[in-house]
Amino acid sequence: MNCVEAIARLHLYIDRELSAEEIITVQQHLACCSQCESRFRFDERLRRLIHERCTIERAPAHLREAVMRIAQTPPGEPLELDPELEMELKADIALEDFFE
């Protein structure tokens, strides 16, 4: 395996999406190529940092309750939401439409 092939498989390797044979091949390359091994360590740390910084611990209680209420409301039945929460939801939907 050359460096181009190894780099092309790094994200699959980090995400554990390679076959056992491919894992061994990538590991062998990383063991003997300091540049690719350095790139692998960087990508692995970056992925971990993004995961740590972008993961929401837990949604606020009022939001969880509203989502459950919406999910449990039969289709076509009127839905009563807190006016402030309804405004937030509409703003989020409008913002989502803006970026599409």
Side-chain angles (χ1 to χ4, degrees):
M1 172 174 286
N2 64 35
C3 293
V4 173
E5 294 168 329
I7 296 299
R9 288 180 174 79
L10 277 185
H11 291 280
L12 296 172
Y13 177 72
I14 291 169
D15 292 338
R16 297 181 177 100
E17 295 179 5
L18 296 177
S19 68
E21 182 179 303
E22 289 174 309
I23 289 170
I24 292 169
T25 305
V26 171
Q27 287 174 339
Q28 288 172 342
H29 181 83
L30 294 176
C32 65
C33 180
S34 62
Q35 287 182 322
C36 288
E37 199 271 337
S38 178
R39 170 70 186 264
F40 162 68
R41 296 288 171 217
F42 174 81
D43 287 359
E44 187 178 45
R45 283 190 297 249
L46 180 61
R47 182 179 183 272
R48 190 176 313 122
L49 179 65
I50 290 170
H51 177 75
E52 289 171 2
R53 301 283 193 237
C54 296
T55 302
I56 297 173
E57 292 288 328
R58 189 171 176 127
H62 75 280
L63 180 57
R64 289 194 314 274
E65 291 168 10
V67 168
M68 290 306 295
R69 200 166 49 248
I70 291 168
Q72 294 170 350
T73 301
E77 188 174 306
L79 183 64
E80 302 259 340
L81 291 177
D82 173 55
E84 189 174 316
L85 178 62
E86 187 174 357
M87 192 181 317
E88 284 181 46
L89 291 172
K90 286 180 180 178
D92 287 344
I93 291 169
L95 186 61
E96 200 172 276
D97 290 342
F98 177 77
F99 286 108
E100 287 182 358

